[in-house]
Amino acid sequence: MDEIALVEVNESYANQIWAFRQEVFEYDAENEDQFAGCMLLDKCQSAEEWIRICNLRKDEQTCEQAGTEVPSHSYLAVRKLDNRVVGIIDLRHHINHPILGTWGGHCGYTVRSSERGNRYAIEMLRLNIENARVLGIDKLLVTCSETNPASEKTILANGGVFENVVEVDGSTMKRYWITV
């Protein structure tokens, strides 16, 4: 696996963010969770609009303007070799919310369709655990659909400890805790 870094969403990656979005639409059309960790990227009319929303979400005072009650940071997983965006992951500052505390968890992530199978998700989550430490989060709740073994492997590879299974709108979600 080539080395990656998590970079806060910013304008210098606007074209790549939009290409990432198009690729997810094209290759993951049947996946209802295709934009995990990419809140509203599928609904935005431009990368710049999404970047603006991500910036609003970072602060408790402005996150509601971005459609959420819980502040969070969004990060681009950028391959250092060629500066290519290979994934997107977010980190919610807390999960004191009925949905997040039950099945949403502290973070969601998506790896670019053409970059899957390279273990990027494992490294993205590992790096995001470091981000959580900086924010003072001591335990991360990370969830995955029971039908997503790749995400489950990512969580387990980062020390996830299975807690239980919850039923959500006809889907079964597995809950894992990672000590930061």
Side-chain angles (χ1 to χ4, degrees):
M1 176 187 71
D2 293 317
E3 194 175 356
I4 62 169
L6 293 187
V7 176
E8 277 199 58
V9 170
N10 67 75
E11 294 280 338
S12 66
Y13 290 97
N15 290 338
Q16 287 199 58
I17 291 166
W18 208 244
F20 178 97
R21 177 185 183 272
Q22 295 310 112
E23 187 172 322
V24 171
F25 270 135
E26 184 177 335
Y27 291 100
D28 290 334
E30 303 301 314
N31 181 356
E32 65 184 38
D33 204 22
Q34 66 190 156
F35 284 99
C38 307
M39 184 178 168
L40 298 176
L41 180 57
D42 56 328
K43 307 281 188 247
C44 289
Q45 300 303 308
S46 69
E48 292 77 14
E49 178 186 2
W50 186 68
I51 293 164
R52 185 183 61 74
I53 288 169
C54 289
N55 285 328
L56 288 171
R57 289 176 50 219
K58 291 192 283 191
D59 189 287
E60 187 88 44
Q61 305 302 315
T62 58
C63 66
E64 286 191 23
Q65 295 173 43
T68 185
E69 300 168 17
V70 177
S72 64
H73 277 74
S74 295
Y75 301 96
L76 305 172
V78 178
R79 186 170 48 216
K80 290 183 176 183
L81 178 70
D82 58 2
N83 204 40
R84 177 177 167 86
V85 173
V86 298
I88 296 175
I89 190 167
D90 67 352
L91 177 61
R92 297 172 191 106
H93 298 187
H94 63 79
I95 56 171
N96 301 333
H97 183 278
I99 293 172
L100 299 178
T102 303
W103 63 270
H106 280 95
C107 64
Y109 44 86
T110 297
V111 174
R112 189 179 203 130
S113 307
S114 61
E115 299 291 349
R116 292 187 183 145
N118 294 315
R119 302 180 55 86
Y120 290 130
I122 291 172
E123 183 65 2
M124 288 165 57
L125 184 53
R126 186 190 73 76
L127 293 168
N128 215 26
I129 292 167
E130 295 301 317
N131 290 334
R133 184 174 288 118
V134 171
L135 282 177
I137 299 169
D138 58 353
K139 284 181 80 177
L140 281 182
L141 174 62
V142 186
T143 66
C144 65
S145 168
E146 199 167 52
T147 61
N148 190 343
S151 188
E152 184 175 26
K153 287 178 185 176
T154 294
I155 296 165
L156 292 171
N158 278 285
V161 176
F162 178 75
E163 180 185 56
N164 64 354
V165 173
V166 293
E167 204 59 44
V168 180
D169 297 330
S171 296
T172 307
M173 302 294 289
K174 292 183 172 184
R175 293 168 42 100
Y176 291 87
W177 288 96
I178 297 174
T179 301
V180 174

